[in-house]
Amino acid sequence: MDIFKSGARIWRHFDWRLFLTALALSLWSLLVLAAVSSPGQFKRQLLSLGLGLAVFFLATALDYRQFKRFAEILFGAAVFLLLVVLNTGHTAYGAQRWLNLGLFSFQPTELLKLALIFLLAKFLEQKQGRLDTLLDVLPGFALVGLPFFLIFKQPDLGSAIVLAVIFLVMSFWGGMRLSRLLMLASPLLSILALHVLPVDPLLAWGVYLVLLLFCLWRLRFPLLDSGVYFALNFCSGLFSSFFWNSLSLYQRNRILSFINPDIDPLARGVRYHMTKAVIAVGSGGLWGKGWLQGALTNLRYIPQQHTDFIFSVIGEEFGFIGTALSVLLLFYLLRRIYQIALKIPTDFGRYIAIGVLALLSFQSVINVCMNIGLAPVVGLPLPFISYGGTALVMSWLGLGLVQSAAMHRQTLEL
Amino acid sequence: MTKPPRAPHLPARYTAGLGLLLLAVVLGRLFYLQIIQHSYYDFLADGVRSRIIPSIAPRGVIYDRYGLALAESKLVYGLDVLPYQLKNQRFVLEFLRQIGINTRTLEARLRDKNYLPYELLAVKADLTPRQISYIEENKALLDGVIISTRIVRYYPYANEAAHVLGYVGQIGSAELNKLKNYGYQVGDIVGQAGIERYYDAYLRGVDGGRALEVDALNNPVSGLRALEPVPGHDVYLTIDLALQRQAARALGARKGAIVILQPDTGEVLAMVSKPDYNPNYFTNYLSAAEWQELVTQDHPMYNRALSSYPPGSIFKVATMLAALESRIDTARSFICGGSMVVNRRRFDCWRAGGHGAQNLLTGFINSCNIVFYNLGLLLTPQKLANTAAAFGLGLSTDIDLPFESSGFVPTERWKQRRYNEDWYPGDSLNMAIGQGYLLTTPLQMAALTASLANARNRLCRPYLLQKIVSREGKLIVQNKPEQAGVLPFEQKNIDLVRDLLRETVDRGTGVNARVPGLVIRGKTGTAENLKKDHAWFISYGPYDRPDLAMAVFVEEGGFGGTVAAGIARDIYVWYDARSREAQK
């Protein structure tokens, strides 16, 4: 096959530090999961890791540019799978996220994140850094809008926000002005102003809209653009109840109680998870209670401790040493991706790397912060560490794409 | 396509700084939580061991009319297991099996991931004193095994009046959704049927609880807060337990129902439904054998007194009144040859050879179908339906019990709508003898009888509640008979029917109920059924000024005059004996 033509020569550029850091995180995850997952889950995670490594090396060996022309198809397929899962999917934790394929179940959302990165990279490359007018931006905005809406309806708030973050970060990197970026994100603020702030909603919204107008005037947007941004904000405000209410009650309450703890002062209801996670982390101390020795962990006191709250298990059983090590490993991995990204010669490849970086870093930060009481509980896994096969395989695939982009430097002979 | 790498632009400058800032925040926060605040969170983690011990409010007692407790609360010793404290699970399970406790459910739950290790698992609700002492003696070896006291519902008379009292159980999710705004919670024990269900809001109290701090061995260290439970109110019923038992005994092993009312007030003195069940079963975890007993084909849980059946000939009371009100000559004579043909369909009398010449009066006493078939043809269907409705048939009696059937009275319009068919003469024939589409409950027929028995012709509204009294003796509710209007018939017609009812027992089809020295009025009924006919007997007595009005219904009991009337006689005889005893 011609895609292997470049042969062994490219492997000189293989980044061992990236690979070994990710591998270390994966193995670390298995050690922690051994304490909290059932034997069946552990076996599945082991299989997923094997699959992830295979996918990683395959993606590394192949020239990522070969697949550029499939970006739209891949994205379309991911959206289609998402639609299927919305209608038939199997439900867990109140949201439809899994597609049951008999032998294993599969989370289309995770695939969609990578597909979006791939397609956005292609789109931004075509734009060549020209993202100065509304017309330049809108196709990308529409691209992220549809899956955002679908995932939001699942309702999977965390993943929907991840899509938005990927879009904003990649666009920023692709040359969009910060002010326009903020304006694109502003409809979300409109919703927050009406529903989340602990003050009179209409007053908050009014103040917010006035502020928005002021910003639009100060930032000297063209009149048409200003009109569109204001209209977007106004409409999202008008339909905010629809968006807000499509979240399930517990999700809304988690956000509300994070901003206003008085809603649940005894932490018996909606703040339950987070408070218990913080207690588990804090009780770990410097050295932790020891592997398999965490009292709260063994009592399964924190629900979902193998997925969203696995960091609290690390905190309790391995203490500050364990958490700091995990955080530093993750930081090192992300920093490595970033450094590689800067050296990638093609725009397309660099955008992919930045997208993967945005995906992994946002999930890492939010998940860790969720576990230590710095972010509301929105349900995002910790990359490479949380239990979850699709996410693990997709994370490895993302790394594979980054590696491939770093290694395949010569001009493609098409 | 490939371009030389551009110099790091604006985003690049931010990214590195932002990354370092986030790293610093996260590490700082971790340092704060795990090093500086460590002892505080360690203390909170121990808080897992503080536990809220609920203390369940005792339910109110249910009494009969003479103050006998029919349902009360009993203190029992139960066995619970706290899974995470089980040190030697195999030993504990073996030990429990040895002292005769079924551990199959427990083993399944210990394996089940849905049950969390710090949640108490209830294993057995009612330990015997022997089992308690075995466990106490070996307490040191049985970590995680807990003897708990709890208050359970207890029905001292077991099956007696089971259908009236109902039973209690954990609240279902559908009900919980309806009731959660009224203070009902998951796991609450609530009335599931009968009085327990109907008056649940009064019978249940307000639960209290204690927050306890326990040490590693689950021993209480200190009580923190306590809230005293408020017991539920006591409910006094109109039921006469002795009469109830006697009625149940008279019905014996047959399937059926007996309802006995006080004709002056409408108080329900007895309500029997057979087969019955033991409501105490629901207090404990049902064993397989007990469950089998409850799900037989005979449906013992089903209150037959509130269920609909064709009334058969006892409905002739209403037909007769309709005829008298329509001024049909009582001397009018019909020839009963055993059957008659209307529209090419044959309609039989119950006596194959026929009754010969019968007028309205002898026709009633002998329950001759041919006479009543003719009345059915003479009367309009609307007249029959109206007369039935005047007695409250076709509507629920609104007795204070859940799940009452309303029976059914067909009309021409209903048949047109339901089947898109005209009302045929055959339908009138069937209805006149209480067959066809007509359905009534034993309770409705008892109420009809009580209305006839009432000296002032008052319509009877049956009820079970006498009063509700709080634990401190304060009267919460005092029930009174409801004024429900009078029978809309001429006095002479009512008097004539009363005389006919007496004649029926003295020398007609109800002769089996006759007791020398007692005044019993009644009417037999045999309702056609696919398998074997249902037997009915409605009656009142045993004196000229009646104390009891009753409906006896025997499912697949055959001829009403034989089975049902005999059962009624037994009850009157016993009642008369008790009254004489009381006067002495």
Side-chain angles (χ1 to χ4, degrees):
Chain A
M1 276 167 85
D2 66 334
I3 40 178
F4 285 114
K5 212 190 302 186
S6 45
R9 199 158 50 86
I10 61 159
W11 290 95
R12 281 179 298 164
H13 295 286
F14 184 76
D15 192 298
W16 285 99
R17 283 181 280 180
L18 181 80
F19 171 68
L20 289 178
T21 316
L23 190 64
L25 279 167
S26 296
L27 296 177
W28 175 226
S29 152
L30 289 180
L31 183 73
V32 180
L33 277 175
V36 286
S37 62
S38 66
Q41 287 174 330
F42 189 79
K43 215 189 287 170
R44 274 201 295 277
Q45 190 72 358
L46 208 58
L47 280 174
S48 301
L49 179 56
L51 189 61
L53 287 173
V55 165
F56 170 77
F57 282 112
L58 192 66
T60 305
L62 300 178
D63 191 330
Y64 66 107
R65 285 168 293 191
Q66 294 277 14
F67 302 101
K68 197 198 277 183
R69 57 202 148 119
F70 300 124
E72 287 86 358
I73 297 172
L74 185 68
F75 183 78
V79 171
F80 174 75
L81 286 178
L82 196 62
L83 279 170
V84 171
V85 92
L86 261 181
N87 288 313
T88 63
H90 126 90
T91 309
Y93 310 127
Q96 293 181 345
R97 296 178 191 179
W98 279 267
L99 196 61
N100 202 340
L101 298 178
L103 280 177
F104 58 100
S105 53
F106 168 77
Q107 235 178 323
T109 317
E110 298 297 329
L111 176 65
L112 187 81
K113 290 171 185 169
L114 273 193
L116 179 72
I117 291 171
F118 214 67
L119 188 55
L120 265 181
K122 185 175 177 182
F123 169 75
L124 290 170
E125 186 197 36
Q126 283 165 0
K127 286 288 166 195
Q128 301 262 330
R130 281 188 303 276
L131 290 164
D132 302 325
T133 70
L134 195 63
L135 276 177
D136 292 325
V137 179
L138 276 182
F141 193 67
L143 216 57
V144 71
L146 174 69
F148 178 87
F149 181 73
L150 291 178
I151 294 179
F152 199 89
K153 285 297 282 179
Q154 270 188 351
D156 180 355
L157 180 62
S159 293
I161 293 175
V162 166
L163 292 192
V165 166
I166 289 173
F167 169 70
L168 292 175
V169 170
M170 287 179 73
S171 304
F172 187 44
W173 205 268
M176 198 187 290
R177 274 160 58 202
L178 194 58
S179 54
R180 193 175 291 281
L181 217 59
L182 287 178
M183 284 307 135
L184 280 176
S186 62
L188 283 178
L189 295 179
S190 196
I191 297 176
L192 291 184
L194 270 167
H195 288 279
V196 179
L197 293 184
V199 289
D200 181 62
L202 280 179
L203 180 74
W205 196 45
V207 171
Y208 168 75
L209 286 182
V210 171
L211 272 174
L212 182 74
L213 280 176
F214 179 75
C215 290
L216 286 171
W217 172 70
R218 276 294 299 181
L219 295 169
R220 304 211 183 91
F221 277 105
L223 198 61
L224 176 68
D225 293 21
S226 302
V228 170
Y229 289 135
F230 188 79
L232 276 176
N233 267 280
F234 193 77
C235 288
S236 74
L238 272 188
F239 297 108
S240 64
S241 297
F242 170 73
F243 284 111
W244 182 246
N245 290 329
S246 69
L247 293 179
S248 54
L249 186 67
Y250 76 96
Q251 289 176 323
R252 280 177 268 160
N253 284 338
R254 280 174 183 175
I255 296 170
L256 289 175
S257 66
F258 182 75
I259 289 175
N260 183 9
D262 292 343
I263 289 174
D264 185 21
L266 291 175
R268 285 174 56 187
V270 291
R271 292 200 303 132
Y272 174 86
H273 287 63
M274 197 175 79
T275 315
K276 286 291 183 290
V278 170
I279 291 174
V281 170
S283 70
L286 179 61
W287 294 102
K289 303 265 155 98
W291 188 51
L292 306 178
Q293 300 299 312
L296 297 180
T297 300
N298 288 341
L299 290 179
R300 282 183 259 150
Y301 220 69
I302 308 149
Q304 293 157 44
Q305 58 187 0
H306 60 302
T307 56
D308 292 356
F309 287 98
I310 194 156
F311 191 76
S312 71
V313 176
I314 298 176
E316 191 188 20
E317 300 203 335
F318 300 98
F320 183 68
I321 303 291
T323 54
L325 184 74
S326 314
V327 168
L328 286 172
L329 269 176
L330 273 170
F331 182 77
Y332 185 75
L333 178 76
L334 297 170
R335 183 167 160 255
R336 200 64 214 137
I337 296 173
Y338 177 64
Q339 287 170 337
I340 292 171
L342 289 183
K343 287 189 207 139
I344 291 174
T346 64
D347 282 345
F348 180 56
R350 195 164 53 249
Y351 289 141
I352 289 177
I354 291 302
V356 172
L357 176 67
L359 168 69
L360 296 181
S361 52
F362 182 73
Q363 296 201 152
S364 305
V365 169
I366 293 299
N367 182 281
V368 169
C369 287
M370 230 160 76
N371 276 275
I372 57 180
L374 291 182
V377 177
V378 289
L380 283 177
L382 188 56
F384 295 103
I385 297 192
S386 283
Y387 171 77
T390 319
L392 185 64
V393 172
M394 289 299 152
S395 298
W396 275 107
L397 178 57
L399 288 191
L401 287 173
V402 174
Q403 279 279 19
S404 176
M407 283 158 48
H408 293 90
R409 285 155 177 272
Q410 81 284 32
T411 312
L412 204 59
E413 297 140 26
L414 285 171
Chain B
M1 204 145 199
T2 315
K3 291 189 301 178
R6 279 187 287 180
H9 61 309
L10 183 87
R13 286 213 304 273
Y14 287 114
T15 313
L18 186 67
L20 282 174
L21 180 72
L22 283 172
L23 179 69
V25 167
V26 167
L27 285 179
R29 172 77 174 175
L30 285 169
F31 188 80
Y32 173 77
L33 290 178
Q34 299 191 287
I35 310 290
I36 300 177
Q37 292 281 69
H38 166 59
S39 53
Y40 169 69
Y41 284 111
D42 215 20
F43 169 76
L44 284 187
D46 274 354
V48 175
R49 303 201 193 104
S50 86
R51 187 155 289 125
I52 291 181
I53 314 276
S55 77
I56 308 294
R59 263 177 103 75
V61 180
I62 303 177
Y63 294 103
D64 89 333
R65 64 188 297 122
Y66 299 116
L68 282 168
L70 304 179
E72 56 195 13
S73 296
K74 188 172 80 164
L75 186 74
V76 295
Y77 293 90
L79 181 75
D80 295 338
V81 163
L82 194 54
Y84 85 89
Q85 287 187 345
L86 284 178
K87 294 233 171 63
N88 191 345
Q89 188 168 312
R90 281 178 62 188
F91 171 79
V92 169
L93 289 174
E94 185 54 38
F95 180 87
L96 294 180
R97 272 193 293 269
Q98 287 293 323
I99 62 171
I101 291 169
N102 186 349
T103 56
R104 200 169 306 160
T105 326
L106 174 64
E107 283 170 65
R109 287 190 179 174
L110 286 172
R111 281 195 300 268
D112 190 338
K113 288 252 172 301
N114 290 322
Y115 291 89
L116 300 175
Y118 53 88
E119 272 177 9
L120 273 183
L121 300 178
V123 180
K124 195 173 188 325
D126 204 351
L127 290 175
T128 63
R130 263 174 84 110
Q131 287 170 331
I132 295 171
S133 59
Y134 278 137
I135 294 169
E136 286 295 339
E137 281 163 24
N138 297 289
K139 207 176 172 198
L141 299 168
L142 297 171
D143 281 328
V145 174
I146 294 164
I147 292 181
S148 59
T149 57
R150 89 187 85 190
I151 298 172
V152 298
R153 203 59 164 159
Y154 176 61
Y155 303 89
Y157 298 99
N159 292 29
E160 300 296 350
H163 294 92
V164 173
L165 297 173
Y167 58 95
V168 295
Q170 275 199 4
I171 189 164
S173 56
E175 277 167 291
L176 185 63
N177 274 333
K178 255 189 298 182
L179 295 172
K180 64 182 167 199
N181 293 333
Y182 300 91
Y184 287 73
Q185 288 175 334
V186 178
D188 271 5
I189 300 294
V190 296
Q192 301 284 358
I195 290 293
E196 294 274 28
R197 182 185 177 101
Y198 199 90
Y199 290 111
D200 188 73
Y202 293 98
L203 287 164
R204 76 198 306 266
V206 182
D207 292 344
R210 268 180 312 154
L212 275 187
E213 220 175 331
V214 289
D215 65 12
L217 295 172
N218 215 35
N219 298 316
V221 177
S222 63
L224 299 176
R225 279 164 288 130
L227 190 65
E228 284 302 310
V230 182
H233 299 317
D234 297 338
V235 168
Y236 287 78
L237 299 181
T238 57
I239 291 286
D240 176 345
L241 183 70
L243 182 63
Q244 168 89 28
R245 299 178 88 166
Q246 189 54 41
R249 202 170 303 154
L251 190 55
R254 302 174 188 97
K255 285 185 287 181
I258 299 178
V259 177
I260 307 180
L261 304 175
Q262 218 298 332
D264 292 334
T265 58
E267 290 168 295
V268 179
L269 299 174
M271 181 186 282
V272 179
S273 175
K274 287 257 183 164
D276 52 15
Y277 62 95
N278 185 346
N280 288 317
Y281 284 177
F282 294 92
T283 300
N284 223 318
Y285 313 110
L286 281 182
S287 71
E290 287 167 341
W291 184 243
Q292 268 311 312
E293 211 179 298
L294 293 176
V295 291
T296 59
Q297 280 189 331
D298 290 338
H299 305 293
M301 309 278 291
Y302 192 66
N303 188 351
R304 286 167 164 75
L306 304 183
S307 307
S308 294
Y309 302 91
S313 296
I314 53 172
F315 185 74
K316 286 173 183 166
V317 173
T319 310
M320 187 69 188
L321 269 165
L324 295 175
E325 290 288 304
S326 301
R327 312 209 175 282
I328 294 173
D329 187 2
T330 54
R332 188 162 171 173
S333 183
F334 304 93
I335 306 297
C336 171
S339 70
M340 68 187 278
V341 176
V342 175
N343 283 2
R344 282 176 293 168
R345 252 184 80 194
R346 209 179 80 167
F347 291 86
D348 289 327
C349 184
W350 61 271
R351 177 182 268 186
H355 290 93
Q358 297 276 310
N359 64 17
L360 255 58
L361 307 179
T362 53
F364 185 92
I365 294 165
N366 296 322
S367 201
C368 172
N369 284 357
I370 301 301
V371 173
F372 281 84
Y373 287 148
N374 279 296
L375 290 181
L377 291 176
L378 290 170
L379 293 165
T380 62
Q382 198 56 48
K383 181 72 188 171
L384 272 176
N386 286 348
T387 312
F391 281 107
L393 302 183
L395 290 172
S396 60
T397 65
D398 278 341
I399 191 171
D400 35 1
L401 282 178
F403 316 127
E404 183 193 2
S405 162
S406 56
F408 187 70
V409 176
T411 60
E412 281 171 293
R413 270 186 64 191
W414 164 82
K415 199 184 172 200
Q416 192 69 51
R417 265 207 305 247
R418 176 78 172 73
Y419 294 105
N420 200 19
E421 264 183 24
D422 287 334
W423 183 273
Y424 301 128
D427 294 320
S428 289
L429 263 62
N430 275 329
M431 187 163 171
I433 63 158
Q435 294 287 161
Y437 304 110
L438 187 71
L439 293 171
T440 62
T441 69
L443 176 67
Q444 282 174 333
M445 293 319 290
L448 176 146
T449 315
S451 302
L452 284 173
N454 188 289
R456 285 173 297 174
N457 304 337
R458 287 210 178 279
L459 274 166
C460 167
R461 281 269 184 194
Y463 64 91
L464 275 159
L465 179 75
Q466 195 184 96
K467 61 182 176 184
I468 297 175
V469 181
S470 80
R471 197 51 64 86
E472 294 87 41
K474 202 174 127 217
L475 191 67
I476 307 287
V477 174
Q478 172 69 61
N479 206 11
K480 281 197 285 283
E482 199 184 322
Q483 299 298 328
V486 292
L487 290 175
F489 308 118
E490 282 180 48
Q491 186 63 47
K492 67 172 187 349
N493 292 338
I494 296 175
D495 288 338
L496 178 58
V497 168
R498 285 175 178 158
D499 289 344
L500 288 172
L501 288 172
R502 179 152 191 193
E503 293 284 314
T504 304
V505 173
D506 282 350
R507 57 188 183 84
T509 51
V511 76
N512 249 348
R514 195 165 74 96
V515 182
L518 297 184
V519 183
I520 296 167
R521 296 174 162 89
K523 177 77 191 78
T524 58
T526 309
E528 281 172 31
N529 184 35
L530 282 176
K531 280 194 241 160
K532 197 180 169 195
D533 292 347
H534 300 315
W536 283 92
F537 187 65
I538 56 171
S539 60
Y540 59 94
Y543 311 116
D544 204 26
R545 179 138 193 242
D547 287 351
L548 311 175
M550 75 172 80
V552 176
F553 166 73
V554 184
E555 200 171 305
E556 298 172 4
F559 187 63
T562 318
V563 188
I567 291 170
R569 180 194 56 211
D570 291 349
I571 297 171
Y572 286 120
V573 168
W574 174 87
Y575 182 83
D576 177 54
R578 185 178 76 164
S579 301
R580 281 174 210 283
E581 193 81 14
Q583 272 167 9
K584 264 193 258 171

